[in-house]
Amino acid sequence: MDMSDIESAHESTALRGELRVNELMKKYTSWRAGGTAERVYMPADLADLTPFLLGLPADEPVHVIGLGSNLLVRDGGVRGTVVVLHARLNELRLEQRNEKDGLIYAQAGLACAKVARFAASHHLAGAEFLAGIPGTIGGALAMNAGCYGTETWEIVERVQTISRKGELRERSPGDYRVGYRHVALKPEVRAEMHGAKNLSGVFLNDEWFVGGWFRLPGGALDTSRQKIKEFLARRIASQPLNLPNAGSVFRNPPEDRAARLIESCGLKGFCIGGAMVSPKHANFIVNTGAATAADIEAVITTVKNQVKQQTGIELEQEVRIIGTAQ
Ligand SMILES: Cc1cc2nc3c(=O)[nH]c(=O)nc-3n(C[C@H](O)[C@H](O)[C@H](O)COP(=O)(O)OP(=O)(O)OC[C@H]3O[C@@H](n4cnc5c(N)ncnc54)[C@H](O)[C@@H]3O)c2cc1C
């Protein structure tokens, strides 16, 4: 099958998901900026994702996303297919419960906040931090999202993945290198997956999260609810939630905070086109209305350069950037 046949193949097979062509990615990203994707596929459910992936030509680029809350798509758009899991892979259940703890299964397309509330309602503690992360469970697994002292992988018992060929697997945390806003399959696991001995240095983006099992200790509903409330109040007080943004743009360097460094360089309020370093939180770049992805990327580059020049510290991006410039 040739790439241009994907649309007709979709019509002629029993796929139940929704395929859109030349779709504006600003509809799928929290920055509300950027170009189009050649194709966007929203699977009906997990069972529908396997035949879709299987039917793609081997050279079709595939990007799996959730709520696009950590993502910039350049103005020239993105080649290939963007698979959007949000609100599609939505199963959520309590799989085990005993006196001590419980195990929740959550699929990748669920909003993190929903899982936080679900855990609390089952008297399980430790998922409250997810309430304020405006992404999906898949995105939280991919980014090791975290806040207020907890990171996603601290509560993961195992994950469920899908390969480029539509194969489903269960993996344990031991299969991954997990760090601060970083998760990758260990090279030896990747090599085994491809039946090759040496893939060192090669990153093949060919397996994605479709769900996870989260082990949480027993807790009290009121305590969890109170924690969620406090976490959300802290965000409202410190983050510019009234304008489109993608959360923290840069990782915090060891022993410091990116926001403090950016502010110390006098960059709060710095603008290019419609993109501005938030005066409320210097590690956020907001879209003041009509920002292009190029505006946002130019602000990112300027901030990086200024911080390097003025402090000697090299900031690393936390947000992911895909696509080509216009
Ligand atoms: C207001 C605001 C506050 C935020 N606060 C926090 C915070 O406190 N802590 C924090 O860590 N982050 C925070 N973020 C950033 C963001 O919400 C997280 O990184 C979140 O985990 C991204 O989830 P998503 O579903 O939106 O992922 P997307 O933005 O859709 O994708 C992000 C990356 O993950 C990959 N990905 C997505 N889904 C999958 C999948 N199923 N399998 C494999 N890869 C996948 C994508 O390809 C992409 O590279 C904030 C963002 C905003 C806008």
Side-chain angles (χ1 to χ4, degrees):
M1 188 171 66
D2 169 270
M3 257 185 33
S4 59
D5 293 334
I6 293 174
E7 290 106 58
S8 46
H10 173 254
E11 276 160 28
S12 64
T13 60
L15 290 173
R16 292 169 291 119
E18 206 177 324
L19 184 73
R20 296 185 183 168
V21 181
N22 294 327
E23 186 73 346
L24 265 178
M25 286 305 294
K26 60 173 71 172
K27 293 201 263 180
Y28 302 89
T29 57
S30 62
W31 250 322
R32 302 278 176 255
T36 56
E38 279 186 305
R39 278 166 291 281
V40 164
Y41 188 66
M42 289 170 280
D45 50 30
L46 180 54
D48 182 61
L49 185 55
T50 296
F52 177 76
L53 289 171
L54 258 178
L56 289 175
D59 61 349
E60 170 78 346
V62 177
H63 305 270
V64 173
I65 71 165
L67 266 154
S69 63
N70 202 46
L71 189 66
L72 183 65
V73 178
R74 292 193 176 99
D75 301 310
V78 56
R79 269 193 54 229
T81 301
V82 174
V83 177
V84 180
L85 300 188
H86 175 234
R88 300 297 173 134
L89 267 59
N90 259 343
E91 269 183 51
L92 179 59
R93 57 179 185 266
L94 182 65
E95 287 219 333
Q96 279 173 20
R97 186 70 168 102
N98 55 42
E99 266 175 39
K100 197 170 120 252
D101 60 26
L103 186 69
I104 286 175
Y105 169 72
Q107 281 192 340
L110 285 158
C112 290
K114 195 164 180 184
V115 178
R117 289 195 302 270
F118 181 82
S121 71
H122 285 87
H123 301 260
L124 292 170
E128 297 88 356
F129 75 101
L130 288 172
I133 296 177
T136 59
I137 287 297
L141 287 169
M143 296 301 304
N144 192 19
C147 55
Y148 308 129
T150 314
E151 289 182 333
T152 302
W153 280 77
E154 288 172 36
I155 59 169
V156 170
E157 182 159 291
R158 56 189 203 280
V159 291
Q160 187 180 26
T161 64
I162 196 161
S163 74
R164 185 66 173 69
K165 294 178 192 149
E167 301 148 322
L168 292 171
R169 281 196 182 82
E170 282 183 22
R171 291 196 181 278
S172 67
D175 285 348
Y176 296 89
R177 277 191 186 149
V178 177
Y180 168 51
R181 305 292 174 269
H182 173 83
V183 179
L185 266 177
K186 286 180 176 164
E188 59 272 28
V189 178
R190 196 168 276 285
E192 194 181 299
M193 187 178 155
H194 290 279
K197 285 268 180 302
N198 185 8
L199 283 172
S200 56
V202 181
F203 179 71
L204 299 169
N205 189 12
D206 49 12
E207 191 176 275
W208 302 280
F209 299 108
V210 290
W213 285 267
F214 301 90
R215 174 78 60 190
L216 297 165
L221 176 63
D222 284 351
T223 314
S224 290
R225 276 196 181 145
Q226 189 53 34
K227 255 190 176 174
I228 289 175
K229 235 172 134 176
E230 280 167 22
F231 288 165
L232 294 178
R234 278 165 79 172
R235 279 176 190 273
I236 291 165
S238 64
Q239 299 180 356
L241 302 179
N242 56 332
L243 289 172
N245 68 78
S248 293
V249 173
F250 299 100
R251 295 160 203 263
N252 287 322
E255 318 288 322
D256 210 335
R257 286 175 51 248
R260 192 199 69 77
L261 288 165
I262 299 165
E263 188 172 351
S264 76
C265 294
L267 289 163
K268 267 188 166 177
F270 172 78
C271 281
I272 295 178
M276 175 172 71
V277 175
S278 166
K280 191 166 180 182
H281 189 312
N283 199 15
F284 279 49
I285 295 175
V286 292
N287 178 351
T288 58
T292 60
D295 293 340
I296 295 170
E297 204 170 357
V299 172
I300 292 175
T301 307
T302 308
V303 168
K304 234 187 219 171
N305 291 343
Q306 281 294 319
V307 170
K308 173 79 178 150
Q309 261 178 33
Q310 294 188 40
T311 70
I313 294 171
E314 200 139 344
L315 289 178
E316 268 180 51
Q317 247 164 255
E318 181 178 320
V319 291
R320 304 277 178 93
I321 302 182
I322 59 172
T324 51
Q326 209 156 34

